[in-house]
Amino acid sequence: MKPDLYICHTAYQVLVEACRAFEASCPPALVLSAALPGAEALAERLRATGLFAGVRVFDEEKCGNAFQKGFWRTLLLQRVIGRRNVEKYYGFCLDGTQYRDIYIHNDWSVLGRYLQDKGLRYILCEDTFASTCAEGGHLLIRQQRALPHFALRQAFGYGYLYWGDWKKVKAIETESIEKATVPFARERLLQRCQKAAFAALTKEQKALLSSVFITTPLPADTAGAVLFLTRDFVSEGLMDEETQRRMYKAVAAKHCSGGPLFIKAHPRDASDYAALFPGAVVLDRTMPSEVLNFALPFRFAKAVTVESTVLKAFEAADEKVSLTLDEALAEARA
């Protein structure tokens, strides 16, 4: 039987595919984008699980730019150059005949474009939890469909189309077909309830996933533990580093007392929280927060965040506190 191939760009996506691998009839192959922080170390831990037939880290940033200017150059050269760039890089080449299905979460990536260059059908998975069911109208898809001659682009494969609009996308996975808001015909959607997949994990499977994602020694006494989940406002250009530090110190002082403090930073947040909060348990920032729903032998008394949706799917805290950015800044000024 042919294995499946999973292509991931974030730790959450790795968690999703690890859960899928538990259900696989034969060990699948996994490709991690080097854009994922700590990708090489994560790959080593994944190899140690024995869940995958192979785990490879691929540096998409070194593949060069295949985009062309002008109609004819795009039509005749873009796919040739894109395929050459990827296959020239350390001889990386995917043979679609080797796999039963190819699953990818971000088809706007270099690897997503490579699948289109090769004409390989794939299943598009959700980028984040229930992203196909999110409110807001899926603006990027609608903007793409508003491009000149979209129907012709789609029919003849001119350039690249993302987010499920490429004509050879086999299916688009969704947490719930009934609740899906993406502008696709229902027959193109494939339901996979990730929440149910997390709930179905056995004790042994949870332990295996914990060995992959929990890399920080935990304290012996966790009574009253508080989890602070950060967002990197600095990289978003919303404030400078010093302002963010003062804000987080003020929020922690008011909302994170009563027990050991745990810090789970956003994957893009490179701030030194061990220095900012001496004595706190700083969890691996690349770890998906969903792991904490099942990976720890205790519950948090409280989980706190600022201007983030991270607590929507978080279930491991008795109390959840989500502050707006204005509320957090006001506390820093008090």
Side-chain angles (χ1 to χ4, degrees):
M1 180 175 289
K2 294 181 181 179
D4 290 330
L5 172 66
Y6 309 149
I7 301 175
C8 300
H9 290 77
T10 70
Y12 171 76
Q13 295 166 10
V14 174
L15 173 61
V16 167
E17 299 309 341
C19 291
R20 198 194 307 271
F22 285 131
E23 307 164 7
S25 53
C26 63
L30 178 66
V31 175
L32 301 181
S33 170
L36 197 165
E40 291 287 356
L42 177 59
E44 283 300 317
R45 298 196 298 273
L46 288 166
R47 293 183 188 110
T49 66
L51 267 178
F52 300 97
V55 180
R56 175 167 185 172
V57 176
F58 184 81
D59 192 345
E60 297 171 284
E61 295 297 320
K62 293 184 178 180
C63 288
N65 180 12
F67 291 100
Q68 301 295 305
K69 293 183 178 180
F71 174 83
W72 289 109
R73 289 187 63 85
T74 298
L75 182 66
L76 299 176
L77 297 177
Q78 187 163 279
R79 296 203 183 283
V80 175
I81 294 174
R83 189 165 58 246
R84 184 208 65 187
N85 286 353
V86 172
E87 294 180 352
K88 185 177 180 181
Y89 169 77
Y90 295 140
F92 185 92
C93 181
L94 289 183
D95 180 358
T97 63
Q98 294 182 355
Y99 305 106
R100 185 184 64 170
D101 279 315
I102 297 174
Y103 295 83
I104 185 170
H105 294 254
N106 299 128
D107 64 353
W108 44 261
S109 64
V110 171
L111 284 170
R113 292 192 287 271
Y114 176 66
L115 295 180
Q116 295 186 23
D117 291 334
K118 297 272 288 187
L120 299 178
R121 291 168 61 81
Y122 58 84
I123 296 172
L124 181 66
C125 308
E126 293 188 291
D127 184 5
T128 57
F129 180 77
S131 57
T132 56
C133 304
E135 299 178 0
H138 300 278
L139 180 61
L140 291 175
I141 297 176
R142 297 192 184 281
Q143 287 178 336
Q144 176 171 260
R145 293 183 179 186
L147 292 172
H149 312 298
F150 170 78
L152 289 174
R153 288 167 55 97
Q154 189 175 52
F156 293 100
Y158 174 82
Y160 299 112
L161 294 176
Y162 309 128
W163 309 297
D165 265 337
W166 186 52
K167 66 179 180 179
K168 289 190 178 181
V169 172
K170 188 173 182 179
I172 297 116
E173 280 196 340
T174 178
E175 180 74 9
S176 169
I177 291 179
E178 181 181 351
K179 298 179 180 178
T181 57
V182 281
F184 294 109
R186 288 299 183 256
E187 57 266 24
R188 295 199 66 202
L189 300 181
L190 178 64
Q191 182 164 302
R192 177 177 172 80
C193 181
Q194 198 55 54
K195 187 174 183 179
F198 293 154
L201 292 170
T202 66
K203 181 179 179 181
E204 292 73 21
Q205 290 170 342
K206 291 177 181 178
L208 189 65
L209 292 175
S210 297
S211 71
V212 172
F213 292 107
I214 304 292
T215 60
T216 304
L218 302 177
D221 182 9
T222 56
V226 179
L227 176 66
F228 191 8
L229 300 111
T230 76
R231 173 178 162 182
D232 189 10
F233 295 101
V234 176
S235 68
E236 297 177 43
L238 297 175
M239 64 183 67
D240 58 38
E241 176 72 24
E242 182 56 35
T243 301
Q244 179 170 280
R245 287 169 61 88
R246 288 199 310 271
M247 179 182 73
Y248 282 157
K249 287 287 284 187
V251 169
K254 183 171 181 178
H255 299 280
C256 300
S257 59
L261 175 61
F262 287 69
I263 305 290
K264 168 60 179 75
H266 187 278
R268 291 192 298 270
D269 190 348
S271 299
D272 187 353
Y273 287 104
L276 186 61
F277 297 107
V281 177
V282 181
L283 299 169
D284 187 341
R285 64 192 176 97
T286 65
M287 176 190 68
S289 58
E290 289 82 2
V291 169
L292 297 175
N293 287 336
F294 59 77
L296 300 180
F298 63 90
R299 287 178 61 82
F300 292 98
K302 186 188 297 184
V304 180
T305 193
V306 176
E307 199 82 27
S308 173
T309 61
V310 68
L311 294 182
K312 289 179 64 176
F314 191 75
E315 302 171 355
D318 297 328
E319 179 185 358
K320 296 192 285 188
V321 176
S322 183
L323 302 174
T324 67
L325 182 56
D326 287 341
E327 288 172 337
L329 288 170
E331 291 183 1
R333 291 191 293 266

